[in-house]
Amino acid sequence: MTLTLTVSDEVRALAPGFRHLAIEAHGLVNGPGTDASSALLDDAARRLAARLDGRAPHEDPHMVAWRAAYTAFGSKPSRTRNSAEALAKRALADGGLPRINLLVDLYNAISVAHLIPVGGEDLDLVQGGMRLVRATGEEDFVTVTGGEESVEHPDAGEVVWCDGGGVTCRRWNWRQGPRTRLTERTTSALFLLESLAPMPVADVESAGAELAELLEKFSPGARVEVRAPESAG
């Protein structure tokens, strides 16, 4: 593993049960989704429905913990849902899960099946190491509004992932910026699985192992390294 990931003391104090599992992969092949990746998304929705057993996603204990964490840094979790809850709602709706590209579809399937936030960053576009911090409010978050590139700033105290170029994901795992997202040109990527207590460490490891297996299956010959779940970086 070559990319440094650090979690600030302020974030650890906010959510002592936070852990992240990182997967670094090189030699990936991306492109449009396939019938096989689409079937994985459909299967993930079925696994989610079985897991919830009639409950709404926000009633799952792991999602309850994420809602509490969002509230703790000043966000309204019913309006800005963590990525796993947002995907879960879409998975259970009539329209189902979106199809983005092969790599994104793979990690979205894992996120939904295990009800855990998962993100992907193009390693060739990340500048330096990545840090999970509470924002000052001055950081730049480059996004696209109305088809045009624009710059936003996080709220002071908001939890954000950032690198040397600015914020890469706002509100912990709510909205990723386009600068480092996975595209069909991506060949090297970091996948980040994020959990809070009460999700057992073994469940995080199981989700990570399943994603690593899918990456190796859909990109034969790729070099995939899994970092053990960490509460600090």
Side-chain angles (χ1 to χ4, degrees), residues 17-18 52 60 77-78 127 154 191 210 214:
F18 172 65
L52 292 173
D60 178 86
S78 60
Q127 300 178 29
F191 300 90
E210 187 176 346
L214 288 175

Side-chain angles (χ1 to χ4, degrees), residues 15-229:
F18 172 65
R19 291 183 180 274
H20 61 274
L21 181 150
I23 300 173
E24 189 169 322
H26 301 272
L28 295 168
V29 178
N30 201 8
T34 64
D35 289 344
S37 62
S38 184
L40 284 172
L41 290 168
D42 290 337
D43 182 61
R46 289 189 289 270
R47 292 168 65 182
L48 172 68
R51 178 193 191 97
L52 292 173
D53 192 24
R55 295 174 298 167
H58 71 267
E59 295 175 303
D60 178 86
H62 194 210
M63 297 298 96
V64 170
W66 275 107
R67 284 193 165 215
Y70 270 49
T71 299
F73 67 76
S75 181
K76 294 183 178 179
S78 60
R79 188 174 64 188
T80 54
R81 296 178 176 88
N82 73 80
S83 63
E85 184 183 331
L87 274 176
K89 282 182 65 67
R90 295 191 70 171
L92 298 175
D94 290 342
L97 287 165
R99 273 58 172 167
I100 309 298
N101 59 53
L102 181 60
L103 292 177
V104 174
D105 291 352
L106 294 184
Y107 79 69
N108 279 349
I110 295 301
S111 177
V112 169
H114 292 267
L115 206 51
I116 181 173
V118 184
E121 306 284 349
D122 189 319
L123 282 172
D124 291 328
L125 302 176
V126 173
Q127 300 178 29
M130 292 184 62
R131 297 169 290 121
L132 186 66
V133 301
R134 298 197 71 174
T136 65
E138 300 299 317
E139 297 90 347
D140 288 344
F141 177 70
V142 179
T143 186
V144 175
T145 305
E148 298 291 330
E149 186 176 287
S150 62
V151 178
E152 298 176 355
H153 303 283
D155 299 327
E158 181 182 322
V159 176
V160 296
W161 278 103
C162 56
D163 67 357
V167 173
T168 58
C169 193
R170 285 198 59 188
R171 292 179 185 150
W172 212 318
N173 47 40
W174 167 63
R175 181 152 64 96
Q176 183 186 30
R179 174 170 61 87
T180 58
R181 68 186 175 192
L182 305 185
T183 70
E184 294 186 10
R185 297 183 298 278
T186 299
T187 58
S188 295
L190 174 81
F191 300 90
L192 199 62
L193 292 76
E194 300 179 291
S195 71
L196 293 171
M199 175 170 271
V201 175
D203 288 3
V204 182
E205 292 174 331
S206 176
E210 187 176 346
L211 178 55
E213 184 178 327
L214 288 175
L215 294 173
E216 291 169 344
K217 175 182 177 180
F218 283 84
S219 292
R223 303 186 310 281
V224 180
E225 300 178 71
V226 181
R227 185 185 295 181

